[in-house]
Amino acid sequence: MNDAIAIRAFTSADLEKTAHFLRRVNELDERVDGPEDDAFNAFVNLPSNRGGRWFVLAESAKGVAAVLLSGLYEVADRDKPIRAFRIFVAPEHRGQGLGSRLLSRLEMQNEGQKVIYRTVVSGDWPSGRGLLERRGFNRSQETLLLRRYGLPPEVPPLPPGFVIRDANIERDGDVIASLYNLANRRSFGFAPISVSELRESLGAPGGRLLALDAPNGQLVGSVQTLPYFGGVGVLHAIQVAPAFQRNGLGRFLLYTAINALAQQGFRTVELTVDRENREAIRLYDSSGFVDWRRDLTYERQAAS
């Protein structure tokens, strides 16, 4: 049956059908996130994705059967760029080798460039994990996806002199990226974001980046919202400078972000946390979040 499926490069004319395909797969399999049209359009046009330059479609006579989404990212303290990718196969086409074929197309995209491949697969998807492990990928992290449903909580008061505001990426970007990477070195062992990547992430429609200032004007915390798929508001990158932790500021940022999403109509909020980050998990548990999914991150160095 594979012979009836053609593999080809994505074009701008494929935008609507690809977004529709992802939404349809999400309806059939909740392990797959289905973005709204505006969000997918913004994602495609991020500089890291170059208008979908590295996207690939697998099509049968009946329509899209599978999709490869691939982007190239420079990170703060890796010696090679990260080629982040996801492969999505429609349920009726699984077991036909399409994931393997698209992974082979991915490996052809580097043109001799040394990169680090990085992807995420649901923890209860053994066939996806098996494919990656057979192709030399190693598990690098386990994360929990947590969700909170219902009305937002009341935001606790800030200590005197602290101020919450919308961040200015040109003025605040370096500090926010530094705070983000302090947290991620603990969780991931490396710093996965630069100011340019942070700036790109602001392209998601309806997203906000909030900054928290101490009484002396020092930026000491931030939180980002990315409300972009399936009626779910995504909370991203909550962080507080180490010297200011354990003062209730993390809870304040969390509740402020939940309320910001609620103002846009979101009653379901999702976030991702490293399974080993016990302190953060306790905060989320006490704030009404429940386990929804377990994801595994896999990495592999490209052959020299």
Side-chain angles (χ1 to χ4, degrees):
M1 191 170 181
N2 281 352
D3 293 338
I5 296 178
I7 307 290
R8 66 171 180 84
F10 173 94
T11 71
S12 58
D14 297 318
L15 188 67
E16 184 176 349
K17 71 164 68 173
T18 303
H20 176 77
F21 166 80
L22 293 172
R23 287 198 305 276
R24 175 178 171 272
V25 174
N26 171 253
E27 292 170 358
L28 298 172
D29 188 340
E30 65 179 11
R31 294 171 297 186
V32 180
D33 298 333
E36 307 293 348
D37 287 354
D38 286 347
F40 186 68
N41 184 62
F43 172 72
V44 169
N45 290 299
L46 292 176
S48 52
N49 297 322
R50 297 193 182 182
R53 171 183 172 183
W54 293 296
F55 295 1
V56 178
L57 300 185
E59 284 187 302
S60 70
K62 295 182 179 180
V64 179
V67 171
L68 163 67
L69 305 180
S70 171
L72 195 64
Y73 300 80
E74 298 288 341
V75 298
D77 54 6
R78 285 287 186 102
D79 61 350
K80 303 178 185 68
I82 299 288
R83 180 166 289 287
F85 71 95
R86 294 289 298 272
I87 293 174
F88 304 99
V89 182
E92 67 270 21
H93 289 285
R94 292 172 187 168
Q96 300 173 15
L98 286 178
S100 182
R101 291 176 68 186
L102 289 176
L103 191 53
S104 295
R105 282 292 295 259
L106 173 79
E107 293 166 340
M108 297 167 56
Q109 293 180 344
N110 298 305
E111 302 174 351
Q113 184 180 18
K114 295 180 180 179
V115 301
I116 299 168
Y117 295 114
R118 182 177 174 89
T119 192
V120 175
V121 63
S122 174
D124 60 352
W125 202 330
S127 60
R129 302 198 315 269
L131 170 61
L132 293 169
E133 290 166 4
R134 289 192 299 273
R135 299 290 280 264
F137 282 79
N138 295 307
R139 188 187 304 183
S140 62
Q141 186 195 23
E142 181 174 340
T143 56
L144 301 177
L145 268 73
L146 308 179
R147 280 190 172 181
R148 185 185 188 279
Y149 305 92
L151 295 173
E154 183 178 350
V155 179
L158 271 174
F162 283 82
V163 176
I164 187 74
R165 59 179 173 82
D166 283 290
N168 180 311
I169 192 65
E170 303 306 327
R171 183 181 66 198
D172 304 323
D174 286 334
V175 177
I176 292 174
S178 177
L179 289 174
Y180 185 101
N181 288 326
L182 279 173
N184 280 284
R185 282 190 181 95
R186 181 178 64 180
S187 295
F188 301 129
F190 72 100
I193 196 166
S194 63
V195 176
S196 62
E197 293 297 326
L198 182 63
R199 182 180 291 107
E200 286 184 22
S201 72
L202 299 179
R208 293 181 71 184
L209 179 62
L210 300 173
L212 178 65
D213 292 336
N216 64 359
Q218 178 186 358
L219 197 165
V220 298
S222 69
V223 63
Q224 188 174 6
T225 63
L226 299 171
Y228 65 61
F229 71 88
V232 177
V234 178
L235 262 178
H236 182 61
I238 303 170
Q239 60 255 330
V240 176
F244 291 84
Q245 292 175 3
R246 296 179 177 82
N247 290 307
L249 299 178
R251 187 177 297 274
F252 171 85
L253 288 171
L254 174 64
Y255 286 18
T256 297
I258 294 172
N259 276 267
L261 289 167
Q263 289 172 9
Q264 299 179 52
F266 291 94
R267 292 296 181 266
T268 300
V269 177
E270 178 182 292
L271 57 81
T272 300
V273 60
D274 184 275
R275 188 178 182 181
E276 302 304 317
N277 192 344
R278 304 300 180 189
E279 185 175 344
I281 290 172
R282 284 195 294 271
L283 169 61
Y284 302 140
D285 284 347
S286 68
S287 302
F289 284 84
V290 295
D291 289 352
W292 183 68
R293 195 174 79 200
R294 178 176 65 104
D295 278 351
L296 303 174
T297 301
Y298 280 84
E299 290 192 2
R300 195 192 83 192
Q301 299 272 349
S304 303

